[in-house]
Amino acid sequence: MAKFIVSTKSKRKVADGNNYIYDFHSSSPNLGKEYWRCEKRRLCSVRIHTVTENNEPKIIHFSNEHLHPADVDSLNARKAVAEIKHEAVENIAASSRCKLAAKFTQL
């Protein structure tokens, strides 16, 4: 099953069920498709086409075979970093709400 992930530079990527990662290339709004290429595109010519269903990518076309092994460790690290960033944003937002509430109660 494919999943959307976010890079450290906030770029959208897709990870497929075999732990390969794809960079966003282009989209076709009329057809509702997005086109992705293997993130190791200098070595590998694999491309996928997806449609989004229930906020998850569904791969509808797959071209060629990967010329490199999947990098499971890198994918797991990226997922961990994305989760940490999400938690940090949540904590900052919660902290800000607490500070605002404290200021209003002082008035």
Side-chain angles (χ1 to χ4, degrees):
M1 176 177 201
K3 296 271 185 196
F4 286 120
I5 59 174
V6 179
S7 74
T8 55
K9 295 181 180 179
S10 299
K11 302 282 185 181
R12 288 183 347 137
K13 293 181 178 257
V14 167
D16 70 11
N18 296 319
N19 298 313
Y20 288 100
I21 301 171
Y22 303 88
D23 293 328
F24 178 75
H25 183 247
S26 62
S27 65
S28 175
N30 295 342
L31 300 175
K33 292 182 185 178
E34 293 183 318
Y35 305 98
W36 308 80
R37 54 188 177 193
C38 180
E39 92 172 336
K40 297 187 186 286
R41 64 184 166 273
R42 289 188 174 97
L43 303 172
C44 185
S45 62
V46 173
R47 293 179 180 262
I48 61 172
H49 302 176
T50 63
V51 292
T52 301
E53 293 180 355
N54 300 320
N55 293 324
E56 294 293 335
K58 178 181 177 187
I59 298 173
I60 58 172
H61 176 77
F62 186 92
S63 67
N64 301 324
E65 292 291 325
H66 288 279
L67 302 174
H68 57 92
D71 192 353
V72 178
D73 294 334
S74 174
L75 180 59
N76 289 336
R78 288 172 189 214
K79 287 179 181 177
V81 167
E83 188 174 320
I84 290 167
K85 282 185 173 184
H86 178 73
E87 290 292 324
V89 168
E90 293 278 323
N91 289 337
I92 289 170
S95 176
S96 295
R97 285 191 298 271
C98 290
K99 287 178 184 176
L100 283 172
K103 284 188 179 190
F104 282 116
T105 57
Q106 291 174 354
L107 295 177

